Amino acid sequence: MRVVMVNKYYPSHVGGIEFHMRDLAEGLVASGHQVRVIVSNDERRYSEELINGVEVVRLPRLFERASTPVCRMIGPVLSFESEQADILHFHTPYPWGEFEWVGQMASKRVPYVVTYHADIVRQRQALAVYGPIFNKFLNRAQLIMASSPQLIQYSPWLNPRADKCRQVNFGLPVESIAHNEKAVARAAVLREELAASVDGAHKPVVLFVGRLIYYKGIEVLARAIPKVDAHFVIIGSGPDRAVIDHVQRHEELAKRIHVIDYASDEDLAAWYHAADVLTLPSVENSEAFGLVQIEAHAAGTPVVSSRLRTGVPYANLDGVTGLTVPPRDSDALAGSLNALLSDEGTRLRLGRQAQARALAEFNIDQMIKGVESVYCEAITLKNNSRPQCPTIQPSANMLKVDRENVDGV
């Protein structure tokens, strides 16, 4: 099957959606499909490369506004690419890409599906203009994929279209985290280093992984830290770093707060194994799922997260893989962290259950099968035909974008 995916960016650009798209694209290639992704570059330059079998086209970015890259040629490029595709797959929200696609009216021929990652929460003024276009975009899609039942139920965009929504679990390389002897060995070293920072005292480890931005609940975490006698390892960077810096001014707390701007995949796996608990105290529905929860689960680490009306409590089942607390409640967050840290039996039981669920339900193979099923159904709906799913072997014969029409824009 010829699949064309559309998103804002693609790795090496860092981001949860970008990493999901990479894992999905490479998994589809491994299953025998041809995958071409159309994304924005980080600069005004066209590039095209083959990355682990995935054809990656990066269009020149004119500028970025409200976290949305604007590429002048994306509409015509998508129209051109759609002529050679069996299906288009959009990762949304990407307002500029959706606007350009609707404007091309190209959706009349090729079926397209949408992975709906999150609601737009903060840009309300932009939403007033974007909303009618987004309605058309979703209405014309054959099917919409969501990562959790909660997202379908509570999203104002998905709930009215629940009949065309399909829930497909995200897939992650959970095996490489769960059964990683190097990560386990490195985790032991990390715990000793933390102990050395407080005169050799071994304290439990609470881990946070994510960007330090408004919807992650950094202020809630900061208020909880003084109430929990543990090391807090915070991996990430962003504008809310100052909130953590303020807490670190207290001499007694400074020794227990460890901020790491960036960690490689190998280091992250080690930290997941080193932690006793991961926390995700998000406060806004911009946090649609929280993939870091599944990564921690793969290492056998339970999670304390917020009870949002999104996929966050679906990823972390209360009383099964961890605990959930009301958003913005630092006392509840501290209480649940203390409850798990003081009860080794419960913590280990939740960790075992979390790992078993991650390995069974959030692996890449199950994600690929789920997405393939949606593709086949969408093609059938578009063609009003019996179920069929065309496949081809990976090749290099897809038509290429005319570089002269794109370079130098």
Side-chain angles (χ1 to χ4, degrees):
M1 185 184 299
R2 296 180 178 92
V3 181
V4 173
M5 288 193 194
V6 186
N7 188 28
K8 297 178 184 179
Y9 297 108
Y10 191 84
S12 57
H13 197 282
V14 176
I17 296 177
E18 287 78 9
F19 293 155
H20 161 72
M21 187 178 180
R22 174 201 61 198
D23 291 341
L24 176 58
E26 292 182 1
L28 287 168
V29 167
S31 294
H33 304 285
Q34 183 175 343
V35 182
R36 190 164 169 85
V37 302
I38 310 298
V39 295
S40 172
N41 209 336
D42 286 320
E43 55 187 342
R44 286 198 179 193
R45 183 175 65 86
Y46 175 93
S47 71
E48 191 169 328
E49 55 190 320
L50 190 68
I51 305 176
N52 295 329
V54 180
E55 300 174 16
V56 181
V57 175
R58 304 183 199 266
L59 301 178
R61 184 184 68 184
L62 301 180
F63 59 90
E64 180 175 301
R65 181 169 298 167
S67 301
T68 297
V70 174
C71 304
R72 179 181 174 187
M73 293 297 295
I74 192 169
V77 167
L78 289 179
S79 181
F80 178 86
E81 294 286 349
S82 69
E83 294 301 315
Q84 301 301 312
D86 292 306
I87 194 161
L88 265 65
H89 183 168
F90 288 84
H91 293 262
T92 194
Y94 178 19
W96 183 251
E98 294 141 17
F99 171 78
E100 285 284 294
W101 176 245
V102 169
Q104 290 295 313
M105 297 297 290
S107 58
K108 290 183 177 179
R109 189 200 70 80
V110 67
Y112 73 91
V113 299
V114 175
T115 292
Y116 190 95
H117 288 274
D119 291 329
I120 293 177
V121 176
R122 296 194 90 183
Q123 293 85 9
R124 298 189 183 279
Q125 290 184 338
L127 195 59
V129 177
Y130 168 57
I133 296 167
F134 195 43
N135 266 317
K136 289 183 180 180
F137 173 75
L138 293 177
N139 286 340
R140 292 176 181 176
Q142 273 60 55
L143 293 171
I144 303 169
M145 285 179 271
S147 57
S148 69
Q150 287 87 342
L151 190 57
I152 298 172
Q153 179 180 359
Y154 294 118
S155 167
W157 298 98
L158 297 191
N159 181 270
R161 302 174 173 87
D163 61 329
K164 67 161 60 178
C165 292
R166 304 291 181 268
Q167 196 255 315
V168 178
N169 280 352
F170 286 131
L172 296 169
V174 288
E175 289 281 354
S176 65
I177 298 174
H179 305 129
N180 189 327
E181 294 182 2
K182 288 184 178 180
V184 173
R186 173 65 175 150
V189 174
L190 292 173
R191 290 182 69 93
E192 289 299 325
E193 291 176 350
L194 291 177
S197 69
V198 287
D199 303 322
H202 284 82
K203 296 180 181 293
V205 179
V206 177
L207 178 66
F208 171 91
V209 178
R211 295 171 61 200
L212 306 185
I213 54 178
Y214 75 98
Y215 67 83
K216 293 288 187 180
I218 305 305
E219 290 188 0
V220 179
L221 177 62
R223 292 197 300 271
I225 288 175
K227 306 167 188 174
V228 182
D229 187 18
H231 288 287
F232 282 80
V233 177
I234 299 168
I235 301 178
S237 60
D240 280 7
R241 168 66 185 267
V243 176
I244 301 300
D245 290 341
H246 180 75
V247 180
Q248 284 185 300
R249 293 176 186 174
H250 299 274
E251 183 177 351
E252 292 303 315
L253 297 178
K255 295 179 180 180
R256 298 197 288 108
I257 301 173
H258 315 267
V259 182
I260 302 170
D261 289 338
Y262 170 80
S264 65
D265 289 344
E266 293 77 10
D267 285 343
L268 267 179
W271 278 116
Y272 287 134
H273 282 280
D276 293 286
V277 180
L278 176 108
T279 186
L280 188 71
S282 304
V283 296
E284 295 284 356
N285 288 349
S286 301
E287 187 74 84
F289 192 84
L291 283 171
V292 294
Q293 299 182 104
I294 304 301
E295 293 175 341
H297 288 165
T301 302
V303 174
V304 175
S305 58
S306 300
R307 204 175 300 129
L308 297 170
R309 295 174 65 167
T310 68
V312 171
Y314 172 75
N316 181 40
L317 299 178
D318 188 49
V320 178
T321 63
L323 301 176
T324 62
V325 298
R328 297 183 172 84
D329 191 334
S330 60
D331 288 335
L333 177 63
S336 290
L337 288 172
N338 282 324
L340 286 186
L341 295 177
S342 63
D343 187 342
E344 183 178 19
T346 297
R347 188 175 70 250
L348 293 178
R349 175 177 59 82
L350 294 179
R352 288 192 299 269
Q353 293 170 176
Q355 186 177 67
R357 181 172 183 250
L359 292 173
E361 300 182 22
F362 294 94
N363 60 77
I364 290 178
D365 286 346
Q366 63 78 29
M367 175 178 67
I368 298 302
K369 291 176 182 177
V371 170
E372 286 177 330
S373 177
V374 171
Y375 286 171
C376 293
E377 184 182 357
I379 292 171
T380 300
L381 289 170
K382 183 69 174 179
N383 297 332
N384 294 313
S385 62
R386 291 179 298 175
Q388 53 182 324
C389 194
T391 60
I392 62 170
Q393 293 300 314
S395 66
N397 62 359
M398 281 189 79
L399 293 175
K400 303 295 184 182
V401 175
D402 185 351
R403 183 184 297 270
E404 293 181 358
N405 291 332
V406 180
D407 263 334
V409 174

